Amino acid sequence: KKKRKGRQPSLRDVEHSRDILRPIATADNSCLILERAAFAYLIAEKQAKRTRRRTTHTREQPRTRRPDTKSRTSRYSIAMLQYDDSAFCFVALSFISIYIFPSWFSIIGKVRTALFSTDEDIGAISRTSAEEKKAAALKENNKGLKTLNETGFKVNFVLTLIFTVIFLYLVFSVKSNGEVNSFDPFSILEIDAGADLKAIKKAYKKMSLKFHPDKNPNNPAAEATFMMVAKAYEALVDPVAKENFEKYGNPDGKQSLAVSIGLPEFLLNTDYRNLVLVSYLIFMVIVIPAAVWMYYTDSSKYGEKDVMYGSYSWFYNHLNEHTLVKNLPEVLAGSAEFRERNQTKTVEEKQQLTAVLAKVKPSMPKPTYTNAVVMKGNILLHAYLTRQTDLLSESLKEDLNCMLRYSSGLIDAMISVCKHQESINAATNCIKFGQYVAQGMWLKDSTLLQLPHFTEVEAGFATKGKGNPNSIAKYVKLDDESKKGMRDFSQEQKEDVSKAAKLLPDLTVDTKIYVDDDEDDNVYEGDLCTVLVTLTRNNLEEGEKVGLVHAPRFPFPRREAWWVALSTKEGKIISIDKVTSPDRVVEHKIKFLAPRKGQYNFDLHVLSNAYVGFDHTDSVELTTLDASVLPEYKVHPDDEELDDEPTLFEEMMNANIEDDSDSDEDDDSDDESEEEGIRELSAAERKKQELQRARKKAASAAGDDSDSDSDVEEVHAD
């Protein structure tokens, strides 16, 4: 009844018909009635869905009719910043190269040292038979593939190989698929440049059939190649595309700058969302903070000369002007570098140390510290200094070698501490202790023990008797026939002694004191004095350079150097420096300000860093005159004017202050600033400024800070 022409029944009609038909659904014609009712219901349901769609579209229409330009620009910017695999390749190459290139440089250097280095490069030279054992040990520890069998080196080598493979893969990817490749349609179509239209079409047909997506399903590379083939064909056939290619290198015309994020695109894949989040948290929250913490905790322990701050603190507390040489092994044993290694690990090791202590106790002063670490290091050092290392086990010898490896740097640190304390006595004692460590001898030993094959017996024969030399410096200057103590030596041993005598230093020290750019040779109070110290190695020929120190008992190579120190008679350090030049003639300058008028005597100390008995101590005299006798220095008027002129920094500061004051005045009142303008100073203001200048000059001349008006008037009158 409700159905009309051109109108479909509504949902209300269907519901009304259903209510009417429900009571009679059990009659004989129920099937026909229900079929018609169901048909009407489906039509009404479909019409209702369409009505709902139109309603939804109508509600959203105002948003589409009036788009927001700002939001559209934002969406465009976000769309431009896409994750780009090609850009990620460049970023990854940059970061990987920061690691692999220095790593390969280090690896190649270690491999070259282990396999191709000479004996001179590692200090494994044997000039006498006494050095053969040391040279063999250095070769064993520094040459051969076993020297590369370190955990750190192997881990670094494996990581470098992995990153190098990744680096090469990324380079290949960039060269083949990167955007750095220029667009060349002829190479894409695999034809020669300048081919005719027929050849172009033939190549295009062949390539398009080969890489068509229908023939290569699920192959993104083939699809990309197909698109490039189509673009190349268009660039060679289409006139507009060809013109764009000739002008801009791209058939699509001039390309705008594209900005992308240098990260791989798979990070945007929802399947890897959790993996990316977990990896990010692990890397940013755990790995990076842990690496920074490890680096900081390790680097913060070390100060100058790669010496730990704990060692510097220990030296500052235990070194003073009363420190003796015999107490320095205990000071060195307490260094922070040895505290972890010198822990007594087993009962057997403790028993071995007790046995060694009984042997070295006669040469060892009473220990000041009973700490186990300090005691162990003190015992090991005394065993080395008294030449009783045969009593040590292999593990104790390794601990001793570790201490000797760092001894040179630590002794230099001890000397620098004494320099800050200005104690020449403590500094010279530390230098002498370094000499004993280098030669493996102690206080009561004869200096002749530095010669090969010499013991206390031979040294006693050599120095016994009237007229015999009592020092090694005098002994080595004797001819071979006059040298005693070698009666039982073989010819080879005597030759070793002669060779070692030529290696020992023969030093001449010359001094000169002067003032730079001075008209006369006199030194006046307040002058910058220069003490020129000239060291001449007489045992070297012209142009020859000094070699390694002859120290057979010290297990590491050591370079010859000299400590040059200038001090007062009261024992206060003026200057102390280490001269490391290997030349035959070395000049070292010491600069200091001349003291008040009078005559002064300074002590000049020249001490070896590795040989005992070759030190020099000279006296340097200095006479200073009164500076008042010098002619008065007159300043040129132009220079005085330059002193009054403001510097560039002052001009900039004044300009900023003026700008700030102008801006404040403009904010307060624009009219007032326009009316005032720039005006000249009045006569009263100029006179006031002149009085202020006169006050300043009077205060600087008389040293009076008074600013009274009477003083100003007097100066102005003068």
Side-chain angles (χ1 to χ4, degrees), residues 426-684:
T428 53
N429 286 340
C430 291
I431 296 173
K432 292 178 180 178
F433 174 63
Q435 298 173 0
Y436 289 122
V437 172
Q439 295 298 329
M441 52 186 296
W442 200 217
L443 298 173
K444 296 182 180 181
D445 294 337
S446 173
T447 56
L448 295 181
L449 295 184
Q450 299 174 87
L451 296 173
H453 315 298
F454 263 73
T455 63
E456 288 292 345
V457 177
E458 288 79 12
F461 278 114
T463 57
K464 187 178 180 180
K466 187 177 180 180
N468 289 331
N470 56 0
S471 65
I472 188 173
K474 296 179 180 180
Y475 183 83
V476 295
K477 291 182 179 180
L478 300 175
D479 52 23
D480 294 340
E481 296 180 356
S482 302
K483 292 178 181 177
K484 296 182 179 181
M486 297 187 293
R487 184 180 59 182
D488 298 332
F489 282 7
S490 63
Q491 185 61 31
E492 182 182 0
Q493 291 175 333
K494 292 180 180 179
E495 292 178 356
D496 287 341
V497 174
S498 300
K499 292 178 182 178
K502 295 179 181 179
L503 297 174
L504 296 177
D506 181 10
L507 196 70
T508 301
V509 181
D510 298 319
T511 58
K512 178 184 178 182
I513 187 167
Y514 62 92
V515 178
D516 291 332
D517 301 330
D518 203 359
E519 297 178 356
D520 54 18
D521 296 334
N522 297 326
V523 179
Y524 296 91
E525 179 183 354
D527 285 346
L528 181 61
C529 300
T530 301
V531 178
L532 178 63
V533 182
T534 304
L535 308 179
T536 305
R537 293 184 172 99
N538 301 316
N539 58 317
L540 299 181
E541 301 293 337
E542 290 291 340
E544 186 181 0
K545 296 184 181 297
V546 69
L548 296 176
V549 172
H550 183 268
R553 295 186 175 274
F554 192 75
F556 304 100
R558 193 162 184 174
R559 295 286 178 183
E560 181 181 321
W562 293 88
W563 287 94
V564 180
L566 184 68
S567 65
T568 63
K569 290 296 182 179
E570 293 77 16
K572 184 178 180 180
I573 293 178
I574 298 176
S575 173
I576 182 169
D577 297 295
K578 189 176 184 180
V579 180
T580 59
S581 175
D583 298 332
R584 181 178 182 272
V585 180
V586 182
E587 293 184 351
H588 178 70
K589 295 180 179 180
I590 303 174
K591 295 181 180 293
F592 64 97
L593 291 177
R596 296 180 179 180
K597 178 184 176 181
Q599 189 171 0
Y600 300 90
N601 290 323
F602 301 101
D603 291 332
L604 178 67
H605 305 271
V606 180
L607 300 96
S608 174
N609 72 322
Y611 293 109
V612 182
F614 295 92
D615 301 335
H616 293 260
T617 302
D618 296 329
S619 180
V620 179
E621 296 182 358
L622 174 65
T623 302
T624 58
L625 303 178
D626 190 0
S628 61
V629 300
L630 293 172
E632 184 180 357
Y633 179 75
K634 295 182 180 180
V635 182
H636 195 274
D638 295 341
D639 295 335
E640 291 182 350
E641 294 178 0
L642 290 175
D643 293 338
D644 295 334
E645 292 183 0
T647 62
L648 179 61
F649 177 75
E650 292 175 347
E651 290 180 356
M652 295 174 61
M653 294 299 297
N654 292 333
N656 293 334
I657 294 173
E658 291 176 0
D659 293 341
D660 295 339
S661 61
D662 292 341
S663 61
D664 294 339
E665 292 176 0
D666 292 341
D667 294 338
D668 295 339
S669 175
D670 295 335
D671 298 336
E672 294 180 1
S673 62
E674 293 177 358
E675 292 176 359
E676 289 180 0
I678 301 174
R679 62 183 180 83
E680 296 182 356
L681 297 176
S682 62

